[in-house]
């Protein structure tokens, strides 16, 4: 099935983006990435050892994977911009996930500051994927600012609560067709990832649900299959739901003629 | 909440990871008289304050060990460790470490801001006890007598832009159940006022340093576990530190139930990494394992030791 995901002109087979935090050991991270089929992984710049010690996280990311550094720790647009610039200057490419969070309890993204950071970084040639609270006005502003995708949260980051923001996501799916919509936070189970893809989001980014599973590699494989299934269901067009029963083998009436 | 639920909650929010840091004592001069402390001003111990060259030497040794997060302890003396001296130490440490935190006596907002701009991202300050009557009995002289100035210091830190603030009490000075409740109230007020700061808690237990002072409020190992589990259940996102004051065996058995950061390869002696030991430590280090040994222990227990968890950016006024 030829159904690539296109982000900033890059064609991807996988609709599974993987976060690299919280893994209990780094060699398991490598195998998880490989088995997940993910082609883009995100790494916090704050976790990268620029001196490249032996346990530098980057040494555990397979070569053919697109690295998208993220601005974890940024509290405002200016800090996110500086982190992005450090990442690019250090040679980690120009794919950047913008994360501007100024609330350490709920870890909700600051949409207004995120828009400012995207404007600046997109105009400086970065491929910018902003993490956002699902809000239509913000999504439109991010598209105007040059975002390569918008990444609304499904529920609080790390909460594994699934698509609590479903109604808002549906609005974004309906209205934002210029760039892919990638659900970035809160997906705790493969079935929730499938649900997101069935709804019509272009991809999902998952971290906690995989990294903190007892068997991350197996869980990544489960997500991979569910994401593929969700996408196939979306393309196939879901049958409508009804309150009434509808026979699977309806009588045509021919018996009584 | 039981300890298994606290472990699950910790793994959900932090993964199976433990951040590692090492303390760097640059001075043990003190203006205060805290009756329980090994460093207090009335005690006749060898005093030492590191020169710039000595700070640099300590930093080089620690850097070579592989540590990236450093906690600089300044001693509670404005006279011997003025802000200018601390700032100079930060400027030196910046060359070696991407993440610098301080344990420093309470400062004014402008002073915290000056240190933030110099590259300080975290500050630790212990209220010691929230029981004001006991606080006054224990702190006989010096600026530390001012309970309120100390209590309000974390608010000033946050206002000055500091990213990570660690609060704590010294367990054993007063009724720990009341102190813990007061600490949680303090933290809640701070979090409400400054939600962008990353907060952490630390629960050091008093050790017998000063011969005249022995703890009237002992805190057992089971109590300490209970405190950590309670903190985790009430504040799922808060960091919890566990220092080398505690024994290796206890640290190894406790850390899974809420702890997110541990010190490693620690010396509490001023100039203790370059040696020879010319000054006395604030408290004896119980867990004397090196950074390498702590990392190995964590890996054996199925945890990832996190050495790099912040990359300094140019701090600007916020």
């Amino acid at each position: 099935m030829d159904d690539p995901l296109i982000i900033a002109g890059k064609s991807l087979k996988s609709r599974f983006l993987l976060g690299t935090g919280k893994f209990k050991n780094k060699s398991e991270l490598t195998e998880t990435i490989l088995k997940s089929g993910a082609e883009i992984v995100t790494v916090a710049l704050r976790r990268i050892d620029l001196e490249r010690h032996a346990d530098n996280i980057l040494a555990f990311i397979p070569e053919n994977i697109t690295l998208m550094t993220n601005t974890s720790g940024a509290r405002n647009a200016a800090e996110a911009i500086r982190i992005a610039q450090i990442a690019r200057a250090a040679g980690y490419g120009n794919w950047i996930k913008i994360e501007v969070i100024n609330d350490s309890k709920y870890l909700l993204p600051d949409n207004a500051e995120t828009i400012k950071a995207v404007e600046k970084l997109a105009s400086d040639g970065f491929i910018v994927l902003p993490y956002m609270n699902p809000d239509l006005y913000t999504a439109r502003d991010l598209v105007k600012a040059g975002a390569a995708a918008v990444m609304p949260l499904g529920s609080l980051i790390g909460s594994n609560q699934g698509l609590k923001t479903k109604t808002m996501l549906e609005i974004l799916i309906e209205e934002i067709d210029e760039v892919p919509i990638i659900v970035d936070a809160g997906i705790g189970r493969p079935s929730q990832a499938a649900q997101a893809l069935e709804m019509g989001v272009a991809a999902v980014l998952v971290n906690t649900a995989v990294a903190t599973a007892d068997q991350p590699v197996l869980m990544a494989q489960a997500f991979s299959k569910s994401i593929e299934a969700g996408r196939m269901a979306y393309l196939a067009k879901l049958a409508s739901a009804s309150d009434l029963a509808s026979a699977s083998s309806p009588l045509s009436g021919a018996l009584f003629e | 909440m039981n300890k298994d639920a606290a472990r699950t909650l910790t793994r959900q929010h932090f993964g199976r990871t433990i951040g590692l840091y090492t303390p760097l004592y640059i001075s043990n001069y003190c203006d205060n008289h805290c009756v329980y402390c090994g460093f207090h001003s009335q005690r006749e111990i060898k005093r030492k304050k590191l020169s710039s060259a000595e700070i640099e030497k300590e930093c080089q040794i620690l850097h070579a060990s592989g540590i990236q997060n450093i906690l600089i302890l300044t001693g509670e003396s404005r006279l011997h460790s003025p802000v200018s001296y601390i700032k100079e130490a930060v400027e030196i440490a910046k060359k070696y470490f991407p993440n610098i935190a301080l344990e420093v006596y309470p400062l004014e907002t402008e002073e915290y801001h000056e240190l933030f701009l110099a590259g300080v991202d975290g500050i630790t300050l212990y209220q010691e006890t929230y029981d004001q009557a006991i606080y006054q009995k224990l702190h006989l002289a010096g600026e530390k007598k001012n309970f309120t100035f100390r209590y309000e210091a974390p608010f000033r830190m946050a206002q000055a832009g500091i990213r990570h603030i660690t609060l704590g009490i010294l367990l054993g000075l007063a009724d720990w159940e009341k102190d813990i409740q007061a600490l949680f109230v303090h933290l809640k007020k701070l979090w409400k006022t400054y939600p962008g700061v990353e907060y952490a808690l630390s629960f050091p237990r008093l050790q017998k340093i000063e011969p005249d002072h022995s703890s009237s409020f002992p805190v057992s190992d089971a109590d300490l576990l209970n405190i950590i589990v309670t903190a985790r259940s009430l504040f799922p996102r808060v960091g919890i530190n566990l220092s080398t004051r505690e024994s290796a065996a206890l640290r190894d058995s406790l850390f899974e139930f809420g702890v997110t950061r541990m010190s490693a390869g620690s010396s509490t002696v001023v100039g203790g990494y370059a040696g020879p030991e010319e000054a006395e430590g604030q408290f004896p280090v119980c867990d004397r394992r090196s950074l390498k040994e702590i990392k190995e222990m964590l890996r054996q227990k199925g945890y990832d030791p996190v050495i790099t968890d912040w990359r300094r950016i140019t701090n600007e006024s916020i």
Side-chain angles (χ1 to χ4, degrees), chain A residues 70-91:
Chain A
N70 70 60
T71 63
S72 167
R75 298 179 294 184
N76 54 45
E79 291 185 354
I81 291 163
R82 282 205 294 283
I83 292 171
Q85 288 166 341
I86 291 171
R88 186 161 70 178

Side-chain angles (χ1 to χ4, degrees), chain B residues 186-212:
Chain B
H186 197 185
L187 176 61
K188 272 187 182 172
K189 281 184 192 166
L190 266 166
W191 220 322
K192 175 94 176 156
T193 316
Y194 294 101
V197 172
E198 290 183 21
Y199 294 99
L201 297 172
S202 195
F203 305 107
R205 286 193 288 183
L206 183 63
Q207 304 201 353
K208 286 180 186 173
I209 297 290
E210 180 58 52
D212 302 336

Side-chain angles (χ1 to χ4, degrees), chain A residues 69-116:
Chain A
T69 44
N70 70 60
T71 63
S72 167
R75 298 179 294 184
N76 54 45
E79 291 185 354
I81 291 163
R82 282 205 294 283
I83 292 171
Q85 288 166 341
I86 291 171
R88 186 161 70 178
Y92 304 138
N94 61 348
W95 285 68
I96 190 91
K97 175 188 159 188
I98 296 297
E99 233 182 275
V100 180
I101 292 174
N102 200 22
D103 186 303
S104 63
K105 192 191 240 175
Y106 300 104
L107 300 178
L108 287 166
D110 181 332
N111 282 353
E113 290 292 308
T114 300
I115 295 166
K116 285 189 223 166

Side-chain angles (χ1 to χ4, degrees), chain B residues 95-318:
Chain B
K95 294 190 281 180
Y96 300 94
F97 308 106
N99 187 11
I100 298 171
L102 294 178
E103 190 171 323
V104 58
Y105 52 88
L107 302 175
E108 301 288 356
T109 308
E110 304 73 42
E111 294 172 319
Y112 283 129
H113 190 56
E114 193 181 342
L115 293 170
F116 170 69
L117 296 179
V120 171
D121 286 312
I123 295 189
T124 296
L125 183 68
Y126 296 97
Q127 190 65 32
E128 316 294 17
T129 175
Y130 288 89
D131 183 319
Q132 293 203 49
I134 291 178
Y135 187 94
Q136 293 308 328
K137 281 185 198 162
L138 294 176
H139 302 100
L140 303 178
E143 276 189 26
K144 198 166 173 180
K145 280 178 71 68
N146 190 339
F147 178 95
T148 307
F149 189 66
R150 198 173 185 89
Y151 186 90
E152 291 173 352
F155 293 88
R156 298 193 295 275
M157 294 171 201
Q159 196 185 349
I162 297 297
R163 293 169 202 281
H164 309 279
I165 295 177
T166 302
L167 307 178
I169 48 178
L170 185 53
L171 293 168
L173 295 180
D175 180 337
W176 66 262
E177 290 192 45
K178 287 181 186 163
D179 260 348
I180 288 290
Q181 283 177 31
L183 171 66
F184 292 164
V185 169
H186 197 185
L187 176 61
K188 272 187 182 172
K189 281 184 192 166
L190 266 166
W191 220 322
K192 175 94 176 156
T193 316
Y194 294 101
V197 172
E198 290 183 21
Y199 294 99
L201 297 172
S202 195
F203 305 107
R205 286 193 288 183
L206 183 63
Q207 304 201 353
K208 286 180 186 173
I209 297 290
E210 180 58 52
D212 302 336
H213 187 85
S214 57
S215 173
S216 315
F217 300 92
V219 179
S220 70
D221 293 353
D223 292 336
L224 184 58
L225 173 62
N226 188 10
I227 288 166
I228 290 171
V229 166
T230 306
R232 172 58 61 230
S233 64
L234 291 175
F235 302 97
R237 292 269 329 138
V238 82
I240 297 178
N241 297 351
L242 190 59
S243 87
T244 49
R245 278 173 183 260
E246 302 295 346
S247 69
L250 188 78
R251 295 216 305 165
D252 292 4
S253 63
L254 270 189
F255 80 86
E256 292 185 52
F257 304 107
V259 173
T260 55
R261 278 165 67 89
M262 295 168 76
S263 48
S266 301
S267 167
T268 64
V269 174
V270 178
Y273 298 110
E277 298 193 357
E278 292 176 1
E280 294 179 42
Q282 188 181 24
F283 57 85
V285 171
C286 286
D287 183 352
R288 305 190 72 88
R289 287 174 294 182
S290 67
L291 175 65
K292 195 178 165 193
E293 289 168 322
I294 295 280
K295 282 162 76 173
E296 191 49 43
M297 178 277 289
L298 290 170
R299 288 198 179 108
Q300 277 177 6
K301 286 181 168 282
Y303 276 72
D304 185 31
V306 175
I307 303 297
T308 309
D309 63 5
W310 180 242
R311 167 68 39 201
R312 185 182 315 106
I313 56 179
T314 310
N315 287 335
E316 291 175 8
S317 299
I318 60 168

